[in-house]
Amino acid sequence: MSFPTAVEAQLERRRRKWRPVLWLLALAGVAGLFLAVLLLIRVLQSGTPYHEGEEAHFRHGSIGAEPASGIPYKVWMALPELYPAAFEPEGDYRAFGFLYDEGSDLPIGISRRTVAGVDLVWFNCGVCHTGTVRETPQAEPRTISGMPAHQLDLHGFTRFVLDAAVDPRMAPDPLRAAMRDSGHGLGPVEGLIWKVAVFPRLREGMIDRAARLGPLFERQPPWGPGRVDTFNPYKVLAFGEDARALSEDEVVGAADFPSIFLQGPREGMQLHWDGNNPSLAERNLSAALGAGVTPETADHAAIERMARWLEDLPPPESPHRPNPAAVDRGRSIYMEGCADCHGYQGEEGYVFEGDRLGTVEPLGSVGTDPARLKSYTEAFREAQLRELFAGTPYAFRHFVKTDGYANAPLDGLWLRAPYLHNGSVPTLQDLLLPPEQRPVTFRRGGDVIDPKGGFVSETCSAGSGCFDTRLPGNSNAGHLWGTGLGEAQKSDLLSYLLTF
Amino acid sequence: MTTDADTDPIFRPLAFRNLTVPNRIFRSNISGRFDNEDGSLTQTRINWECRFARGGVGAIISSYVPVRMDGRIIAGYATIHRDDFIPAWARLGEAVHANGAKFIMQLSHSGRQMDIPGVHNMHRPAPSPTSAPETLHGFLTQAMSTGEVRRMVRDFARAAWRAREAGLDGVELHAANGYLFTQFLSSAINDRTDAYGGSLRNRARFLLEVIAAIRDTVGRDFHLQVKLSATDHNNVLPWEGRGNTVADTVQVARWCETMGADALHISTGSLFPHPLNPPGDLPLDVLAITYDAMISSGVNGFRNYLLFRYPTLRPIFRWLWFRMKKGRPVEGVGFDEARIIREAVGIPVISTGGWQDAGAVREALGHVDGVSIARSLVANPDLPRHWAEGRDLPPEPCTYCNKCLVGAPKLPMGCHELSRFPSREAMIDRLMEVYDTKPELRIPEAS
């Protein structure tokens, strides 16, 4: 081939000489592009596993709490390695009362979602509403979806996370080593992504949360197992209020996890302990926010799927087998004095009927501890309506400030101990006692069925789960209905209540 | 007011061994693409040179005149490679003499510095002491064999003979500014391993052999001067070697004197243009519209064009070019080095580099023997008359914008600094003056 100029010939020689290199570079470029796309897909990957069964979805399906509140799965799995003392004796999250399904590495109520390529885990509904029961101390625990997570020490777990935020072991190097030791090490590319994006954000997020919640916890007694302060953490985390500025009246608000069986018939009733909202949908979303969901991250489809399942989820049949004659007599007493407010247990299941069922009983009438009622303030309600889901079909419209506690249906009553909204009375039998005779202290968190209605709980003076009714928010006063009955009548009434 | 020619050093005659020039002002070599593709000169070139002769310079050093067709820097410059060109050069000499000036032909060969190769050279690399491409533009080269070097020596001598036959007043060997002689002389360019490479003496061998050959051919009584770059400053691209120092050039100058050179003409830089030669600005925006004529001349042409064409890239080239100018004057940029060389030799030395102010020139003439000027005379061909009339500067002095320089590959040679003219039309009229020919058109003989 001839060229018109020496320069063109030289350029062609140079092109020919470099052509293999250019091809290699082009191939390397294509390979690099391919890897970059893979990396991008990995980084931008988002999604959450789909669980076929409704109960599996309830226990492990994500409702959208992970993006804003979650921690990386690998960190979750490494924490027992990093803080062995906090996870004794089992060496896993059972130390805080979390429950495990057979073969699952994550506890019930901990869901998983990939956000920008990082697997995150955090709470779903199942964490607070799944518990265990045993008929005898030797029996294997039976896990029941929908019952209160009476064994879960959410306060203790949160306290642990907040302490870890400022602990040197949460620095990237020890954490990375713990992740490797727990079998969840990082690959080279993943390590780079974590170094740049995950470790700094994780620590910053934890420190930020600790800075907000720490002052609140300093002003509250520990919630104890099976209890949560629903609204005060919400105030400081979602609305940015300073915990130190909360009034004395509102700053303590811990109450029991409720059971969530048979939600369908509850539509229109005053829901929540204080009956502040008659809309199941709004109550569900509000509860999801409490689990760490934000208006931006809420997985409405997943939440609604759970809600549909819960509409018809019946409580398991009571294992108590009281004397049928006593049950009959007790039914009569109940129908006369209790059913109007609480509905009743019929032959075919629970009957959600009663003139005052699902309405708010004024505090002056019910007489129970006011702390939970006061923790839900008018200012908080206004913030909820103003800021949460505003401008969307999910905007809150039905929240109200009430003056008492709601008359709740008692379905699945055998699983709902300790009793009253704040879980201050260990058994049904104790509830029929005048407040001054009710146990002053008792240990929460047990799951062995007590013939007195509830779970076996001895009195205590200190230690894990020891509940002191003398502390703020823990009063066992009020709900005097039935306390004036004779012993025989109380026994009959208890027999009937044990069938709920 | 006029100056006294007897006392003004500018206007005192300069007597070389074989030539006396009426004053100390030399029109330095500068040209446009005035001539024919075959190398024959035209009326336009005669007009061009006479413009300066009329202006009062003592001598005109011709534009770069190749001694062979493979040594053209820009096709379109007249050559002296054929005997039958002697009459035309003789006419040019007569014309310049008629206007009172002397005419010295600058004998040259581009070597690798071939800006626009033209139809004769586009198909081949340029002969050079090295086969390494020129670094800035990527001009291609082919190292000359020892035999080819000897033939080149002979061709220079033959060209000098033609100049003498044409009645011209002398010759200058263009051994400066990056052309073939520089390529031999420079330690940064010459990579030969034969008798023409290595030590300074070896690198100077080609130049000294040419001087000797010219003397053998034209005798001892024909004016021969040598233009040298005092310092190479070859590292315009920072990764290049610096090349020869002024001490090297002092030695070369002494050898030239010994071999029979009558005078030295001192410039600077191992390539052309160079940041220090010609001194002043480098209008990259004008290069953006003229360098395209050189894109295909070298393997780096397109890269350079991009650097000029896109304003965002210009700072790269601007940094390369202007970093060397820091702390150096425009006027008399090479004066100190010329003075050093003058002190080392016994023959006259002419200094070039931005001269325009009579005061500065008078002061310089206390240390060197003459000054050569190109751009300031392009702007004001009658600059000597302004000086003679007592003005240090003409009313519209050269701005050193260098638009004439960067326009050379594509635009008519002349001053393109619009601010010096009342209008664009006036500027173009001035540019066109040299083309104002009255040719005696001839009808070709019928075959």
Side-chain angles (χ1 to χ4, degrees):
Chain A
M1 189 186 242
S2 65
F3 292 90
T5 72
V7 168
E8 285 303 307
Q10 173 65 18
L11 289 173
E12 174 57 19
R13 276 195 294 277
R14 187 190 283 183
R15 281 194 289 270
R16 208 174 299 150
K17 179 179 166 190
W18 286 99
R19 196 164 291 151
V21 177
L22 288 176
W23 271 112
L24 281 176
L25 283 176
L27 284 174
V30 169
L33 196 66
F34 181 69
L35 286 175
V37 168
L38 281 185
L39 188 66
L40 211 61
I41 288 172
R42 187 187 167 83
V43 167
L44 299 181
Q45 199 175 52
S46 290
T48 185
Y50 180 81
H51 297 274
E52 282 294 335
E54 299 303 313
E55 186 161 27
H57 175 62
F58 175 75
R59 291 187 179 183
H60 302 291
S62 168
I63 58 174
E66 300 87 350
S69 308
I71 63 174
Y73 167 76
K74 292 186 174 187
V75 173
W76 175 275
M77 299 305 289
L79 286 178
E81 188 78 34
L82 203 57
Y83 298 96
F87 288 83
E88 287 177 345
E90 296 89 345
D92 60 25
Y93 287 83
R94 280 177 289 183
F96 297 103
F98 288 91
L99 306 175
Y100 283 84
D101 274 330
E102 189 78 35
S104 174
D105 61 350
L106 288 174
I108 292 169
I110 300 300
S111 59
R112 191 163 167 168
R113 180 180 288 266
T114 307
V115 179
V118 179
D119 268 357
L120 300 177
V121 296
W122 203 239
F123 299 159
N124 78 353
C125 304
V127 74
C128 297
H129 302 289
T130 305
T132 57
V133 293
R134 285 180 291 168
E135 298 202 14
T136 66
Q138 293 73 34
E140 275 298 307
R142 177 181 167 202
T143 305
I144 296 173
S145 300
M147 72 173 279
H150 56 92
Q151 78 295 330
L152 175 65
D153 184 4
L154 195 55
H155 186 275
F157 174 72
T158 309
R159 187 77 257 176
F160 161 73
V161 173
L162 300 190
D163 289 346
V166 292
D167 188 280
R169 284 171 286 182
M170 277 302 286
D173 286 343
L175 183 53
R176 194 191 295 266
M179 288 161 64
R180 188 184 58 236
D181 294 345
S182 65
H184 296 90
L186 299 171
V189 176
E190 199 178 14
L192 198 64
I193 295 171
W194 277 57
K195 184 176 180 181
V196 173
V198 181
F199 283 128
R201 285 179 58 188
L202 170 69
R203 198 78 188 275
E204 281 172 24
M206 289 174 72
I207 289 171
D208 178 60
R209 226 181 294 184
R212 291 162 184 262
L213 283 178
L216 176 65
F217 280 18
E218 284 170 15
R219 297 185 62 189
Q220 295 181 330
W223 306 337
R227 299 173 90 233
V228 64
D229 182 349
T230 306
F231 295 110
N232 285 316
Y234 208 123
K235 291 172 193 170
V236 299
L237 291 178
F239 295 141
E241 289 189 42
D242 185 349
R244 286 167 287 244
L246 297 176
S247 71
E248 281 299 328
D249 264 1
E250 65 179 307
V251 77
V252 174
D256 258 26
F257 296 131
S259 69
I260 51 173
F261 304 116
L262 294 173
Q263 292 297 296
R266 285 171 162 81
E267 180 68 63
M269 294 185 191
Q270 296 299 124
L271 305 168
H272 275 147
W273 292 118
D274 60 349
N276 62 13
N277 196 318
S279 160
L280 269 180
E282 287 191 17
R283 195 283 316 272
N284 292 344
L285 267 185
S286 174
L289 294 173
V293 166
T294 68
E296 292 75 27
T297 66
D299 186 339
H300 293 284
I303 294 169
E304 285 160 15
R305 182 182 169 197
M306 271 179 211
R308 279 195 301 278
W309 182 62
L310 293 170
E311 283 177 9
D312 306 315
L313 177 71
E317 189 185 344
S318 170
H320 295 285
R321 292 293 176 263
N323 180 306
V327 170
D328 284 343
R329 290 195 298 275
R331 181 185 294 114
S332 302
I333 298 165
Y334 181 90
M335 295 305 289
E336 189 176 326
C338 312
D340 197 34
C341 286
H342 292 297
Y344 61 96
Q345 181 72 19
E347 295 296 328
E348 302 297 323
Y350 202 79
V351 179
F352 293 84
E353 287 176 10
D355 288 346
R356 294 162 68 189
L357 176 64
T359 64
V360 171
E361 194 69 24
L363 192 63
S365 165
V366 68
T368 48
D369 188 282
R372 161 66 185 80
L373 175 65
K374 289 180 178 174
S375 74
Y376 185 79
T377 62
E378 182 59 37
F380 178 74
R381 172 187 166 274
E382 286 169 7
Q384 274 184 307
L385 269 52
R386 185 178 61 246
E387 295 185 22
L388 299 176
F389 300 103
T392 75
Y394 303 104
F396 290 155
R397 290 190 296 275
H398 296 96
F399 274 100
V400 291
K401 174 66 187 147
T402 66
D403 60 353
Y405 291 104
N407 294 317
L410 302 181
D411 49 325
L413 189 62
W414 68 281
L415 295 165
R416 292 164 61 170
Y419 296 99
L420 294 184
H421 73 272
N422 60 350
S424 57
V425 181
T427 67
L428 292 170
Q429 190 180 67
D430 293 326
L431 188 60
L432 294 175
L433 293 172
E436 57 277 15
Q437 293 175 28
R438 296 171 181 169
V440 176
T441 63
F442 64 96
R443 198 169 301 283
R444 294 181 57 109
D447 62 356
V448 178
I449 294 168
D450 190 328
K452 294 185 288 184
F455 303 110
V456 175
S457 58
E458 74 278 15
T459 57
C460 59
S461 58
S464 173
C466 186
F467 185 87
D468 188 339
T469 59
R470 292 164 296 195
L471 293 176
N474 290 5
S475 168
N476 59 3
H479 198 283
L480 301 179
W481 294 284
T483 58
L485 295 172
E487 286 307 310
Q489 286 176 303
K490 283 184 181 176
S491 173
D492 292 344
L493 180 57
L494 179 60
S495 296
Y496 177 55
L497 290 173
L498 289 174
T499 67
F500 280 37
Chain B
M1 177 188 126
T2 57
T3 60
D4 185 342
D6 294 334
T7 57
D8 188 341
I10 295 175
F11 294 101
R12 281 211 312 266
L14 173 55
F16 299 105
R17 183 161 35 208
N18 299 307
L19 171 68
T20 298
V21 175
N23 60 43
R24 303 300 177 108
I25 309 164
F26 292 74
R27 204 296 311 279
S28 194
N29 47 299
I30 187 165
S31 177
R33 294 168 293 106
F34 300 136
D35 303 305
N36 296 315
E37 284 291 336
D38 67 347
S40 58
L41 64 83
T42 63
Q43 181 67 47
T44 302
R45 176 165 297 278
I46 294 173
N47 295 346
W48 170 258
E49 303 293 29
C50 286
R51 170 189 281 183
F52 302 101
R54 277 196 304 275
V57 299
I60 288 172
I61 301 169
S62 78
S63 74
Y64 175 106
V65 183
V67 300
R68 299 188 349 186
M69 280 303 261
D70 63 5
R72 306 181 92 175
I73 50 168
I74 290 181
Y77 286 9
T79 65
I80 186 67
H81 74 293
R82 277 163 52 176
D83 292 348
D84 58 351
F85 286 175
I86 292 172
W89 283 107
R91 291 290 285 170
L92 172 58
E94 287 170 28
V96 171
H97 291 155
N99 285 279
K102 303 293 183 184
F103 188 81
I104 298 169
M105 176 180 275
Q106 188 185 57
L107 302 179
S108 310
H109 191 286
S110 65
R112 67 178 193 173
Q113 201 158 271
M114 187 181 280
D115 293 342
I116 297 178
V119 70
H120 294 88
N121 298 319
M122 61 196 289
H123 65 291
R124 60 189 175 192
S128 174
T130 174
S131 287
E134 184 271 345
T135 50
L136 185 60
H137 310 274
F139 300 139
L140 299 176
T141 59
Q142 173 62 53
M144 299 154 70
S145 67
T146 307
E148 285 170 330
V149 176
R150 291 192 178 128
R151 276 198 293 281
M152 187 72 79
V153 170
R154 187 199 63 200
D155 291 337
F156 266 95
R158 189 73 185 164
W161 174 82
R162 290 184 194 113
R164 178 167 191 159
E165 288 302 301
L168 305 183
D169 300 299
V171 290
E172 174 177 283
L173 296 178
H174 196 350
N177 307 140
Y179 300 105
L180 184 63
F181 286 113
T182 306
Q183 292 158 40
F184 274 92
L185 287 169
S186 175
S187 62
I189 301 172
N190 184 337
D191 58 0
R192 298 179 74 88
T193 55
D194 64 0
Y196 296 96
S199 67
L200 180 64
R201 182 68 183 81
N202 278 2
R203 300 200 305 272
R205 188 180 306 279
F206 170 58
L207 171 62
L208 301 179
E209 284 183 359
V210 168
I211 296 172
I214 289 173
R215 282 292 174 225
D216 283 350
T217 306
V218 302
R220 194 66 191 80
D221 59 351
F222 186 59
H223 180 74
L224 166 61
Q225 63 184 44
V226 180
K227 186 172 187 181
L228 293 170
S229 284
T231 308
D232 278 354
H233 297 296
N234 186 65
N235 56 326
V236 174
L237 300 176
W239 51 88
E240 294 289 313
R242 289 173 181 271
N244 289 5
T245 63
V246 69
D248 294 330
T249 306
V250 163
Q251 182 59 60
V252 172
R254 284 178 173 143
W255 286 333
C256 289
E257 181 183 12
T258 305
M259 293 301 292
D262 296 321
L264 298 168
H265 182 185
I266 302 302
S267 182
T268 197
S270 67
L271 65 155
F272 188 85
H274 184 279
L276 302 178
N277 180 49
D281 195 11
L282 187 73
L284 300 184
D285 52 341
V286 179
L287 270 170
I289 57 169
T290 59
Y291 190 81
D292 55 339
M294 289 176 61
I295 287 177
S296 60
S297 300
V299 294
N300 301 333
F302 188 61
R303 177 201 68 187
N304 293 350
Y305 179 65
L306 294 179
L307 292 176
F308 304 140
R309 180 66 184 81
Y310 293 101
T312 48
L313 299 177
R314 286 178 192 161
I316 300 171
F317 197 86
R318 191 176 297 280
W319 175 79
L320 282 173
W321 199 258
F322 286 86
R323 70 196 162 87
M324 275 195 178
K325 293 176 179 281
K326 284 177 187 164
R328 293 177 190 271
V330 171
E331 181 149 9
V333 66
F335 169 65
D336 288 341
E337 291 166 328
R339 189 169 65 175
I340 290 169
I341 291 169
R342 180 65 186 91
E343 287 166 1
V345 297
I347 51 177
V349 167
I350 302 163
S351 167
T352 192
W355 299 112
Q356 181 165 226
D357 184 296
V361 170
R362 283 187 191 104
E363 196 176 329
L365 289 175
H367 304 279
V368 295
D369 304 282
V371 293
S372 75
I373 302 167
R375 292 167 301 161
S376 299
L377 286 167
V378 169
N380 292 287
D382 56 352
L383 178 66
R385 299 211 187 288
H386 287 288
W387 289 352
E389 288 166 9
R391 285 184 290 275
D392 278 355
L393 284 175
E396 293 290 344
C398 172
T399 62
Y400 304 109
C401 68
N402 277 327
K403 290 176 182 168
C404 53
L405 167 79
V406 301
K410 197 172 169 184
L411 303 176
M413 176 50 69
C415 182
H416 290 265
E417 178 52 58
L418 195 53
S419 68
R420 294 188 59 256
F421 297 92
S423 66
R424 174 170 293 278
E425 289 68 28
M427 183 181 82
I428 292 174
D429 286 349
R430 182 69 178 279
L431 288 167
M432 294 301 114
E433 278 176 9
V434 293
Y435 300 98
D436 183 20
T437 61
K438 294 183 173 60
E440 295 167 3
L441 299 178
R442 184 167 63 86
I443 299 170
E445 287 177 20
S447 59

